[in-house]
Amino acid sequence: MKRYRYLLKKVSWSAFTILFVLILNFFLFRVLPGDPVKAGTHDPRFKKENQEAMRVRFGLDKPVINCFETLNPIKVGDCWINPFETQFFIYIRNLVQGELGISYHTNGPVADILVERLWNTLLLIGAGQILSIIVGILFGLFAAWKARTVIDYSALITGLVTWSLPTFWLGIILLFWGSGHGFPIGGRITPGTSSYPLSYQIADIAKHMVLPTLTYTIVYMGEYLLVMRSSLMDVLSEDYILTAKAKGLSTFQILKDHALKNAMLPIVTIIAINLGFTVAGAIQIEAVFSWPGLGGAVYEALERRDYPVLQGVFLLIAVSVVIANLIADLMYSYLDPRVQTE
Amino acid sequence: MSDEFILEVKNLKKYFLAGRPALFSRTEQYVHAVDDVDLQLRRGEVIALVGESGCGKSTLALTLMGLENATEGSIFFEGRDITHLTDRERKSTRQRIQMVFQDPYESLNPTQTIEEIVTEPLVVHGLAGDHGERQAHVVRALEDAGLKPAEEYMHRFPHQLSGGQRQRVVIASALVLEPHLLLADEPVSMLDVSIRAEIINLLADLRESRGISVIFITHDLGTVGYFADRVAVMYLGRIVEIGSMREVLTDPKHPYAQALLSVIPVPNPRLRRKRMILQGETPNPIELPVGCRFHPRCPVAMNICKESDPRLLPISETHRAACLLLAK
Ligand SMILES: Nc1ncnc2c1ncn2[C@@H]1O[C@H](COP(=O)(O)OP(=O)(O)OP(=O)(O)O)[C@@H](O)[C@H]1O
Ligand SMILES: [Mg+2]
């Protein structure tokens, strides 16, 4: 019973947060300066009627919301208009139908752009995340187990150094090194190979992924290593570990049955939150390796003031972070019985 | 080795490396946590080990349990030398010596249910074959430890129990293994005063019904009361007085034991002793005083006390104290 109430509470909080983000996201981009039409008005060839047509196409001819024509600059308008004819309502209605608007730059649906980019990002950053989690946790475990030995201190230093390495810098170093060793220096596929057999294409993508994934893993495993190490060391100094030893459990049994589950608690939260941010991609890595992922999309959209794309990406990131947090909470309640009743 | 004693400890020492006095100094410093302890325990006997915080009581218990390696000396348990054993060799001994830790809030794994906690030792030692038999053992241990009916507690987690109930779970999980010796390290000091007596009564009952020998560690002589057969008083890593409970409580010979006793509240005002408050701090166990280790705080110290380190001297058949006053 308590468990269900806990679940319900967490789920409704997440829903509430997402709703809040939806609304905030809309107004954020109305308050920001600039629109696609203005961007082109310096060009004398851009005719007035074309400008007007463009406004209509992006729905910018409609008032933002009742009482406000525009928010930047603030222009007060009619409060007694049909609310269904405002940008805000159309935004919500489109969202419900899974539409994220039209890109100012490509003129195509934002949703299509995001879906393609999202897959690329999930492929690259997902692989990097999973690798850094596995490597980081294993090294962290080993370091804590061999606490205060040379192994431990080397792991600690490695963790600290890699964690503080600038991603951009490491990426470029690896790029230099890799280009001399037959690795492609950027992109996702070798141009002009789209008609090659599938097995060739898969191998090609994998080759392109090596350097960025390596960069990602090196930079991100430090955090997991350090947290895992200190968490396990904390747990190993608990009295119940001593009790388990006194009961006759072997070191392996103690690690497996008592230490790991408790030591994983802080890690679960970090993993979930980081996985949430995976969707955001890694702007720096995607930029260095020209990887066509969401991080890169954000970068390009920022340069082009392509608000609909930015708005869509922001929404995607916010939703996935909220969902990742929800998953972390649920996992936590499963792993730690104390959570359900507190 | 005689069969009379379940446990014999000889010249046991446990020093911890405390680093160097200065960064580049050659010598290393040690914490003399347990410094030459002799102790013999009969079957079914309860001995109270008393001393102020930091005198090495827990370290002694952990060394007896094999959770710390002895620096020197020997420990015989049921006739077998258990001082230095590998984990595998120690396993059978672990079943027969169990320990109750001080803090029941720390000594239970928060992610296990009470049933899992009490069942685990049985599984580890391959006792009580099938599931039903195991469960019967667990129920009995819980009920013996005063958690009745056991079914009501088995499926709870530690955080759903009170401190006293948790300590009963700790005791039950020690009892399932049917140990011959129980080391209880201040098992009630973290509990409410109202629950302390219950837990001590429980231990007293268990000793009656199961004939378990108990080393009961406490810094408060008042809590052992009638329960212990003998009392050993510890100061800075060493036993300075040992005797039957009556002898030590009514006629302590060592000035430190006298001071400890003088501050116990006595219900009968006519028996109230003059309170002896010790001067000074406990010296640190890294640099022990030369001579008698108690002399810097001793109200009756003599000149010789600064030079000569007294051994335990007999006062009666059962009563001994390490004080140079007795040597005269
Ligand atoms: N692992 C360790 N490393 C270094 N010093 C230690 C270690 N364990 C204990 N000590 C030191 O040994 C001395 C004895 O500690 P111990 O825990 O045995 O005291 P205690 O009598 O149980 O005290 P309390 O009543 O507070 O529990 C203390 O000075 C303590 O600081
Ligand atoms: Mg202690």
Side-chain angles (χ1 to χ4, degrees):
Chain A
M1 202 51 232
K2 265 181 183 145
R3 198 186 173 98
Y4 287 120
R5 215 180 311 147
Y6 175 83
L7 288 183
L8 198 68
K9 201 173 101 191
K10 289 292 171 191
V11 171
S12 40
W13 255 112
S14 306
F16 182 75
T17 314
I18 288 178
L19 192 68
F20 179 76
V21 168
L22 286 183
I23 296 171
L24 185 78
N25 205 23
F26 172 80
F27 288 105
L28 184 65
F29 287 97
R30 307 296 164 232
V31 172
L32 286 177
D35 71 39
V37 183
K38 280 200 196 106
T41 46
H42 302 298
D43 191 335
R45 289 167 295 176
F46 197 19
K47 292 203 196 91
K48 266 265 161 356
E49 54 262 40
N50 291 354
Q51 287 184 22
E52 214 34 59
M54 200 165 171
R55 280 225 161 76
V56 174
R57 171 154 171 74
F58 292 114
L60 297 171
D61 56 326
K62 300 201 170 59
V64 171
I65 192 168
N66 288 34
C67 307
F68 290 98
E69 287 284 333
T70 57
L71 288 174
N72 186 8
I74 292 184
K75 203 153 119 206
V76 180
D78 191 354
C79 288
W80 302 103
I81 52 165
N82 181 2
F84 297 113
E85 289 293 313
T86 59
Q87 288 186 35
F88 182 70
F89 179 79
I90 295 168
Y91 163 79
I92 297 288
R93 192 186 58 200
N94 283 348
L95 272 184
V96 172
Q97 294 170 351
E99 274 179 50
L100 297 173
I102 302 164
S103 161
Y104 290 167
H105 179 74
T106 67
N107 256 316
V110 170
D112 293 353
I113 300 176
L114 294 193
V115 167
E116 193 201 321
R117 297 292 192 117
L118 181 63
W119 283 119
N120 289 341
T121 282
L122 286 181
L123 185 64
L124 177 68
I125 308 302
Q129 272 287 356
I130 290 169
L131 265 178
S132 58
I133 289 171
I134 293 175
V135 174
I137 285 184
L138 285 182
F139 275 115
L141 278 180
F142 199 56
W145 189 28
K146 300 276 175 201
R148 282 175 282 276
T149 63
V150 180
I151 295 177
D152 176 30
Y153 291 127
S154 333
L156 184 63
I157 292 170
T158 313
L160 282 172
V161 168
T162 56
W163 196 8
S164 42
L165 281 183
T167 315
F168 205 78
W169 177 83
L170 180 70
I172 290 179
I173 297 276
L174 284 178
L175 197 65
F176 271 129
W177 174 83
S179 59
H181 287 77
F183 286 105
I185 55 162
R188 193 176 63 98
I189 47 174
T190 312
T193 57
S194 52
S195 60
Y196 285 31
L198 188 65
S199 59
Y200 177 89
Q201 292 194 28
I202 291 176
D204 187 43
I205 292 180
K207 233 183 188 175
H208 279 83
M209 279 174 65
V210 171
L211 292 179
T213 309
L214 191 63
T215 313
Y216 194 95
T217 307
I218 291 176
V219 173
Y220 285 83
M221 69 166 204
E223 182 182 10
Y224 293 114
L225 190 161
L226 297 178
V227 175
M228 188 69 220
R229 173 183 174 274
S230 73
S231 165
L232 187 59
M233 275 168 69
D234 279 353
V235 170
L236 286 178
S237 70
E238 295 276 354
D239 267 0
Y240 58 79
I241 298 295
L242 209 56
T243 309
K245 200 167 177 198
K247 293 271 181 281
L249 274 78
S250 66
T251 312
F252 179 72
Q253 282 170 320
I254 291 176
L255 271 180
K256 177 170 76 72
D257 297 341
H258 293 268
L260 271 187
K261 194 169 173 192
N262 286 295
M264 282 311 283
L265 289 176
I267 297 282
V268 166
T269 316
I270 299 182
I271 290 181
I273 291 171
N274 283 354
L275 284 180
F277 280 110
T278 298
V279 170
I283 295 183
Q284 299 191 49
I285 289 182
E286 292 185 359
V288 171
F289 294 96
S290 336
W291 186 264
L294 273 179
V298 172
Y299 188 72
E300 291 157 21
L302 269 173
E303 274 187 338
R304 299 168 181 153
R305 294 223 170 161
D306 197 346
Y307 289 164
V309 170
L310 279 179
Q311 186 175 285
V313 176
F314 278 26
L315 195 63
L316 195 64
I317 294 172
V319 170
S320 46
V321 169
V322 170
I323 289 177
N325 267 300
L326 180 66
I327 292 173
D329 280 337
L330 300 187
M331 292 259 299
Y332 220 98
S333 82
Y334 168 76
L335 284 174
D336 189 347
R338 283 168 297 188
V339 171
Q340 292 158 37
T341 44
E342 269 160 22
Chain B
M1 288 287 87
S2 62
D3 284 343
E4 193 190 351
F5 298 116
I6 184 168
L7 181 76
E8 282 197 271
V9 178
K10 283 189 194 147
N11 305 106
L12 189 69
K13 294 183 184 171
K14 175 65 199 179
Y15 296 167
F16 293 107
L17 189 59
R20 296 161 200 278
L23 190 55
F24 295 109
S25 149
R26 288 256 167 117
T27 54
E28 285 174 327
Q29 290 186 319
Y30 291 93
V31 179
H32 302 80
V34 174
D35 197 13
D36 212 347
V37 162
D38 284 295
L39 188 66
Q40 291 165 326
L41 191 68
R42 288 190 187 77
R43 255 174 214 292
E45 190 180 35
V46 175
I47 191 163
L49 189 63
V50 203
E52 65 197 332
S53 183
C55 71
K57 306 178 299 288
S58 297
T59 308
L60 176 59
L62 293 176
T63 314
L64 294 180
M65 290 294 300
L67 295 172
E68 294 281 3
N69 278 321
T71 310
E72 236 177 74
S74 58
I75 305 163
F76 284 85
F77 175 72
E78 298 189 326
R80 178 176 177 219
D81 186 346
I82 59 159
T83 325
H84 305 285
L85 295 181
T86 62
D87 277 352
R88 191 174 305 170
E89 291 167 334
R90 194 176 293 279
K91 199 166 169 184
S92 65
T93 311
R94 292 231 185 274
Q95 186 192 331
R96 283 171 289 154
I97 312 181
Q98 280 295 305
M99 180 155 177
V100 175
F101 289 88
Q102 181 166 2
D103 188 350
Y105 292 88
E106 300 281 322
S107 52
L108 296 174
N109 183 343
T111 60
Q112 284 185 314
T113 62
I114 305 308
E115 183 177 11
E116 286 165 349
I117 290 171
V118 185
T119 310
E120 186 174 51
L122 290 175
V123 177
V124 168
H125 289 277
L127 302 172
D130 63 66
H131 180 75
E133 204 180 325
R134 227 180 287 150
Q135 195 155 22
H137 269 81
V138 171
V139 169
R140 192 171 90 99
L142 283 171
E143 300 202 334
D144 279 2
L147 293 171
K148 272 182 241 181
E151 282 75 19
E152 195 179 306
Y153 299 95
M154 276 169 44
H155 304 293
R156 295 203 205 171
F157 287 97
H159 71 274
Q160 295 164 322
L161 299 181
S162 71
Q165 290 169 334
R166 286 182 201 211
Q167 200 57 302
R168 289 175 193 274
V169 173
V170 175
I171 293 172
S173 75
L175 284 182
V176 277
L177 290 175
E178 304 190 340
H180 300 177
L181 172 61
L182 189 68
L183 304 182
D185 186 1
E186 309 202 31
V188 297
S189 66
M190 303 296 279
L191 302 178
D192 279 357
V193 179
S194 56
I195 307 165
R196 291 185 182 180
E198 286 178 27
I199 298 286
I200 291 180
N201 284 336
L202 167 65
L203 290 173
D205 288 348
L206 289 172
R207 178 264 189 114
E208 283 297 315
S209 60
R210 300 197 174 196
I212 306 177
S213 315
V214 181
I215 298 182
F216 188 95
I217 295 175
T218 172
H219 57 249
D220 171 14
L221 259 179
T223 57
V224 254
Y226 49 92
F227 162 47
D229 302 307
R230 284 197 297 154
V231 176
V233 179
M234 211 168 158
Y235 184 76
L236 270 186
R238 193 175 286 177
I239 291 178
V240 293
E241 177 153 358
I242 184 165
S244 72
M245 189 186 66
R246 210 166 45 82
E247 284 167 329
V248 177
L249 291 198
T250 58
D251 187 19
K253 291 294 189 215
H254 197 285
Y256 176 66
Q258 291 168 354
L260 270 189
L261 275 164
S262 74
V263 294
I264 302 180
V266 193
N268 183 345
R270 271 184 297 158
L271 288 179
R272 193 161 288 163
R273 285 163 285 234
K274 189 166 162 287
R275 281 172 147 245
M276 237 170 93
I277 307 293
L278 289 175
Q279 299 301 311
E281 290 284 303
T282 324
N284 79 37
I286 296 179
E287 287 166 81
L288 293 173
V290 183
C292 172
R293 57 192 61 206
F294 185 57
H295 88 257
R297 297 169 80 193
C298 182
V300 293
M302 307 170 292
N303 270 336
I304 184 168
C305 299
K306 293 175 188 158
E307 289 147 26
S308 168
D309 187 9
R311 308 294 317 175
L312 282 170
L313 302 167
I315 298 156
S316 76
E317 187 86 350
T318 48
H319 192 183
R320 284 178 298 156
C323 178
L324 290 166
L325 279 174
L326 300 167
K328 285 199 292 190

